Amino acid sequence: KTQNNVEFSDKLPAADVWPEVERAERLARGAALKWASGVFCRPEHLERLSQYRKRESQRTTSIHTRLKSMVQSYLEGVGWGLEQLREARSELNQVSQALKKAGLESDQNLEGLKSLERLREVSVQHRQLVAAVSNLPRLYSVRSLVLETQRLVESRRLLEAHARLMDLEHWQDDILWQLHGAASSTGSKLSPEDQQLVDKYFSGVGQLVDALAKELWAVVSSSLALARQNPTPFVSAVRIVEREEALDRVLLEERSGTNGRPLPPGRPRCWRTSFFQVLEEAVSARFRSVSYLHTRGPGLAGHLSALQHGIMADLATVRHLLEHCVPPHYHLTGAYLRASHRCLHTHLAQVSSWDLESGEIFAVLNWVLHIYNSPDMMGHPELVAEMEREDMGPLISSEGLELLQNKYVQSVRKSVSEWMHKALQVELQDWQRDQEPDTDHEGFYQTSLPTIITQMLEENARVALMIGASLRDQTIQMGLYEMENLLNRFREALVDFGKEHRRDPNNSKSKFYLHYLLASISNCIILKKSTESLQQQQSSRSAGRFSRTPPNPLAALDRAVRRACRLVMDQLLLELQPFLPGLLTRPWLVQGDPTPKLCRVLEHHLELYGRVRLPCRQVPGSLCRTRLLRTEPQLLSQFLLITV
């Protein structure tokens, strides 16, 4: 048949049946002509025509042979495929006949299945009745068992109460599962009415769970006290918690298993998580009763000390008693440390938000930075490993510490400013006294002002250093600012003091005017040494860290000293002024009257200048010469000539 088709196609025009063949033939003829024109371009090349003809004939024969073998293999494959199709059609006919036969038999058995439907309903009712009969003793004993369990809970016989409760829950779960299975066998779900009926009948079980949980958490919250007296209730509570955790795991596995049993109401309970929550709640309870009024002033330091002793006593109880009452994986000491740390963090944040004074802020900073991590508290050798494993972080954040330190510096600044103001007022009152200023062991004039200021600033720096070098640097910086302000006010007070004296030089209050000016100069020298000492205590890294415009008390000191020295020189010139015009006159040449008086004034002043500390005792002479040169240069030359 294939051969006949090929012969028939050969008889038809090639362009109508196989246009591709005609195009391929034209391409082949064109390629052949091109090849021949290239090979036989000269007459002498025609001698090899027979060789080319023979070679091309062999190639053509080889190509025909390969084409025939390829076509033969394709024809064999097609024949094999047709045979497979015939066999498949035969098998499909057989299967179709078998399905028709099975359908006929199924139609015949349908009438028999209808007669068995009644038997199935009777079987379901029978299973339900069997389940009801088997559950009747349990159902009748539910009320009494609930009452008995309630009595056990009230008497804190927790293990027995939990055992009864587990029986009740097991009965409830079995009944629900049986109802669920019966509903599934009929192709439906458990009706809400049946669910509500079971829940109502076992409503006492849920109340027992709540009552037992309440007693359990009461025992856990008082575990620290119970451990020192009778740890048995705490051990029972832990055992019940572990039982509930095991039940939760089993029920969750059954839910994810092949039977897909639903979870009972209220599951999972996660009582172990609640155990640690109650423990943390018990720890935080000691901080709730703390009020703002009860911890003000010295009460705050006492409160922090009480917290330290209370926490360490509780930790000792946990490590030595409660740790042995729980499974090792509880890590009860670490849990108590975490709870204490979190509660302390919250409590100290609350305390830090109060309007605290400097002493209270110092107590908080000292407790947080030094006491909390000391060997007397969390740095205890037995707690170091737990602290490192928990990695609880700082008790107060770096921002909170910085805020506290700033509040401390501001509070100290307010106190220092008030004390400096009071000291300056006392100093101004001393200037009006009708007696000489006090002298030190070297005989130099001085008042109480530099002693008060120096001791106050050094004491504040020493106290701040107990917290840290950074706080000390801030305190010193603040003290230098306040000292600069004080010296500016001091210089203004000197100016007012001089003006008041010039208005009424003969006033009785101005009797020791010069003495207190010299005492003021000595005070400035003492304050300069104190200022230099404070500046040396500051660390080099904090030299400009706290403000863009650092204080400059030394410049203010220099201005105050120069003002006091000018006032001293003004007083000297004021006392010399009446005698200077009488120099180098005829009465002076005859009698020499002004000279002894001038000498007495100068000797008196020089004696008083000796009561001033170096190097300021050298300043009045130079200022005196400068002032005389500006006012009476001729008198100064005469006076110096006579002195020589």
Side-chain angles (χ1 to χ4, degrees), residues 518 521 564-566 568-570 572-573 576 602 605-606 608-610 612 615-630 636 639-640:
L518 298 175
I521 296 173
C565 290
R566 289 192 183 97
V568 169
M569 293 302 98
D570 289 342
L572 175 60
L573 293 176
L576 292 177
L602 290 174
H605 274 259
L606 290 176
L608 293 179
Y609 295 166
V612 181
C616 282
R617 69 170 65 178
Q618 301 170 358
V619 177
S622 61
L623 288 177
C624 178
R625 291 190 294 269
T626 303
R627 185 61 58 88
L628 286 171
L629 285 172
R630 292 177 180 175
L636 175 62
F639 175 71
L640 292 177

Side-chain angles (χ1 to χ4, degrees), residues 285-497:
R286 66 172 64 251
F287 303 100
R288 289 180 182 170
S289 60
V290 178
S291 66
Y292 175 70
L293 296 177
H294 294 162
T295 56
R296 289 308 310 270
L300 181 58
H303 168 66
L304 294 175
S305 178
L307 280 182
Q308 175 187 356
H309 291 94
I311 291 173
M312 294 308 295
D314 293 346
L315 277 173
T317 302
V318 171
R319 286 188 292 112
H320 298 131
L321 296 177
L322 293 182
E323 193 71 58
H324 304 290
C325 299
V326 299
H329 60 82
Y330 270 48
H331 298 295
L332 197 60
T333 301
Y336 187 84
L337 282 173
R338 288 194 303 272
S340 300
H341 189 82
R342 283 196 291 266
C343 294
L344 279 174
H345 178 79
T346 304
H347 179 62
L348 290 176
Q350 177 188 6
V351 171
S352 300
S353 64
W354 295 344
D355 186 14
L356 301 177
E357 297 180 356
S358 59
E360 298 168 332
I361 299 174
F362 175 83
V364 174
L365 290 173
N366 184 56
W367 198 85
V368 171
L369 297 176
H370 300 296
I371 296 178
Y372 185 71
N373 294 316
S374 67
D376 295 332
M377 204 169 175
M378 296 307 175
H380 193 277
E382 297 181 2
L383 298 176
V384 171
E386 289 288 344
M387 291 291 290
E388 291 177 352
R389 182 170 67 246
E390 296 299 332
D391 190 17
M392 294 177 291
L395 195 59
I396 296 181
S397 63
S398 57
E399 293 80 6
L401 285 176
E402 185 176 357
L403 180 62
L404 269 181
Q405 291 182 359
N406 292 334
K407 289 175 64 177
Y408 174 81
V409 173
Q410 293 302 321
S411 178
V412 172
R413 183 171 194 167
K414 181 180 179 182
S415 176
V416 167
S417 179
E418 292 176 356
W419 276 101
M420 286 186 175
H421 179 73
K422 293 179 181 178
L424 183 58
Q425 295 302 318
V426 172
E427 178 74 8
L428 297 181
Q429 293 175 6
D430 289 344
W431 290 353
Q432 306 299 326
R433 291 193 306 174
D434 193 15
Q435 63 182 28
E436 290 188 20
D438 299 329
T439 57
D440 59 7
H441 64 283
E442 297 179 359
F444 299 127
Y445 284 142
Q446 70 172 17
T447 60
S448 60
L449 178 66
T451 303
I452 295 174
I453 301 302
T454 300
Q455 289 180 354
M456 180 170 52
L457 295 181
E458 290 181 352
E459 180 67 17
N460 286 328
R462 185 186 63 81
V463 172
L465 183 59
M466 297 173 63
I467 300 300
S470 175
L471 185 60
R472 178 202 59 189
D473 295 339
Q474 293 184 53
T475 305
I476 292 176
Q477 193 88 342
M478 174 273 302
L480 295 177
Y481 271 116
E482 292 302 318
M483 182 179 287
E484 183 179 5
N485 296 333
L486 171 71
L487 291 171
N488 291 330
R489 296 196 300 270
F490 183 75
R491 184 171 60 86
E492 295 173 359
L494 286 174
V495 173
D496 296 338
F497 189 40

Side-chain angles (χ1 to χ4, degrees), residues 9-130:
S9 63
D10 290 340
K11 296 177 181 179
L12 295 175
D16 296 337
V17 181
W18 303 106
E20 292 84 359
V21 175
E22 182 180 2
R23 185 169 60 254
E25 185 175 356
R26 288 199 303 269
L27 291 174
R29 289 182 179 277
L33 289 174
K34 185 177 181 180
W35 174 80
S37 61
V39 173
F40 303 107
C41 59
R42 292 183 179 181
E44 58 268 18
H45 292 166
L46 294 175
E47 297 177 356
R48 292 181 292 178
L49 178 60
S50 59
Q51 297 178 1
Y52 285 117
R53 182 181 294 172
K54 183 178 180 181
R55 186 179 67 181
E56 292 302 324
S57 176
Q58 292 175 355
R59 181 182 298 176
T60 302
T61 303
S62 174
I63 290 172
H64 287 170
T65 303
R66 283 183 295 187
L67 285 173
K68 289 179 180 179
S69 62
M70 182 179 64
V71 171
Q72 184 65 30
S73 62
Y74 284 164
L75 291 176
E76 290 177 356
V78 170
W80 180 81
L82 291 174
E83 185 65 25
Q84 294 295 323
L85 289 174
R86 293 190 192 97
E87 294 178 359
R89 185 177 62 180
S90 176
E91 292 177 358
L92 286 174
N93 291 332
Q94 295 176 2
V95 170
S96 177
Q97 293 176 1
L99 288 175
K100 290 180 181 179
K101 185 177 179 180
L104 293 175
E105 293 179 355
S106 175
D107 293 339
Q108 295 175 1
N109 294 331
L110 185 61
E111 297 296 332
L113 289 175
K114 292 181 179 179
S115 62
L116 293 176
E117 190 68 29
R118 177 60 183 168
L119 182 61
R120 180 184 299 170
E121 295 176 358
V122 172
S123 175
V124 170
Q125 294 176 359
H126 178 71
R127 286 199 302 271
Q128 293 176 350
L129 291 173
V130 169

Side-chain angles (χ1 to χ4, degrees), residues 542-558:
S542 64
R545 188 177 57 186
F546 303 109
S547 65
R548 295 181 180 178
T549 57
N552 193 5
L554 294 179
L557 272 169
D558 184 66

